[in-house]
Amino acid sequence: MNKIKKIIRKGKVKILEGDSFTEVIKEKKKDLNDLFEYLSTREYFCFPDIISTSDRTIKYKYYDKLKHDPPEKDIEFISSVALLHYKTIYYKEVSRKKYKDIYNTLIDNIDYLKDYYNKLIENIDNEVYMSPSNYLLARNYSVILINFYYIEKELNKWYNLVKDKTKERVCIIHNNLKKDNFLMSSKNILTGWDNYLVDTPILDLYKLYRNEYKNMDMESIFKKYIEINKLTKEEISLFNVMISMPSTINITNNEYKKVVEVKSILDYTYRTSNFINLGVFKELVNESNN
């Protein structure tokens, strides 16, 4: 019997070390055996090998991380994601009501955010002396308004594309994409599969963008993604709508923190607008128009 000599805790994961083995054990939230078996049938192998499972835990093979992340790590990451989507995509029947419900939900969200920011600006306009955070927001409010105009226009464009469709393109999505959940070892591995779903690939891409827009060259990685898995016009429109939604401001009495947060929201809005204007998906849209 292999004896455990050392246990290393990393967040919610435990690494078990013995004389001749190293294993990873974590809490079991979903039974992933069926998922990984299915992915293998689709010739997709970017997941950790399961050693054993119990009612409460999953034990994985341990993979040594490369000593230094290579320059192409981000490209390898997005390639692994694109292959996951490409190899598991299929079309399922969907009611027109689903698309209408999505549209209404997004419209309601836009209306809420527009009202939220309008009230903020009204309150700021009534101040005799603006705080630094309020001044920063007021000076850049036109950018937020332009962004709302774009979101509404793009959402209507998306709905016109899907309102008469009765099929939806779906695939296995990881649903927790971030750089910390990608490992380059003897093979490329996506970790953290507990939230996986069958849904539109756009949900994965949206979460990846929100998590890593500051840390990855989004133009390069999305160009690589569409080399492997092309997106449809309606998927592109939905993605653009979702990434363009601004967040609300966390109200705090700490003015420094509020300035940092307002700056972060504005920075995100500028970056996202620039990313969309780069036209990474323009060629795809033009192809589908021909």
Side-chain angles (χ1 to χ4, degrees), residues 82-257:
L83 282 170
L84 171 67
H85 295 167
Y86 177 74
K87 292 194 173 189
T88 61
I89 272 179
Y90 69 96
Y91 288 83
K92 73 172 187 177
E93 298 291 331
V94 63
S95 68
R96 293 186 179 95
K97 182 179 181 300
K98 178 179 178 180
Y99 290 124
K100 184 65 174 178
D101 288 345
I102 293 171
Y103 176 79
N104 288 336
T105 298
L106 291 172
I107 281 291
D108 287 346
N109 193 27
I110 294 167
D111 289 342
Y112 166 77
L113 288 169
K114 284 172 68 176
D115 183 62
Y116 170 84
Y117 275 98
N118 282 335
K119 286 178 179 175
L120 272 182
I121 290 299
E122 285 176 5
N123 291 335
I124 290 171
D125 287 342
N126 290 327
E127 290 180 348
V128 177
Y129 299 105
M130 290 184 190
S131 66
S133 60
N134 286 345
Y135 179 74
L136 181 62
L137 182 61
R139 280 289 303 271
N140 292 274
Y141 186 53
S142 61
V143 175
I144 292 174
L145 288 177
I146 292 169
N147 188 47
F148 281 132
Y149 173 76
Y150 168 78
I151 295 171
E152 289 178 321
K153 181 180 176 184
E154 194 70 12
L155 180 58
N156 285 322
K157 174 180 166 185
W158 170 80
Y159 186 63
N160 284 329
L161 288 168
V162 301
K163 63 183 180 180
D164 296 321
K165 289 185 177 292
T166 57
K167 290 188 177 181
E168 178 185 20
R169 199 170 82 135
V170 297
C171 61
I172 299 291
I173 64 166
H174 181 276
N175 202 27
N176 191 23
L177 289 179
K178 50 189 174 183
K179 292 179 78 168
D180 288 346
N181 281 338
F182 179 68
L183 171 67
M184 291 184 71
S185 182
S186 54
K187 64 175 182 176
N188 290 343
I189 298 169
L190 287 172
T191 62
W193 288 87
D194 293 330
N195 299 315
Y196 85 90
L197 295 170
V198 174
D199 210 320
T200 170
I202 296 309
L203 188 56
D204 254 353
L205 300 182
Y206 161 73
K207 290 188 176 182
L208 174 61
Y209 183 89
R210 294 293 302 209
N211 287 333
E212 302 292 353
Y213 74 95
K214 285 184 178 180
N215 306 316
M216 301 174 78
D217 180 350
M218 289 296 161
E219 181 182 8
S220 296
I221 69 165
F222 278 98
K223 281 183 177 178
K224 183 62 181 180
Y225 178 91
I226 60 178
E227 285 179 13
I228 299 170
N229 186 48
K230 290 187 176 182
L231 298 174
T232 64
K233 283 193 298 184
E234 54 266 34
E235 287 169 343
I236 293 167
S237 285
L238 183 60
F239 176 71
N240 287 341
V241 167
M242 291 175 69
I243 65 172
S244 297
M245 290 281 190
S247 56
T248 56
I249 299 168
N250 183 29
I251 303 301
T252 173
N253 292 327
N254 187 314
E255 183 58 23
Y256 173 77
K257 289 182 178 179

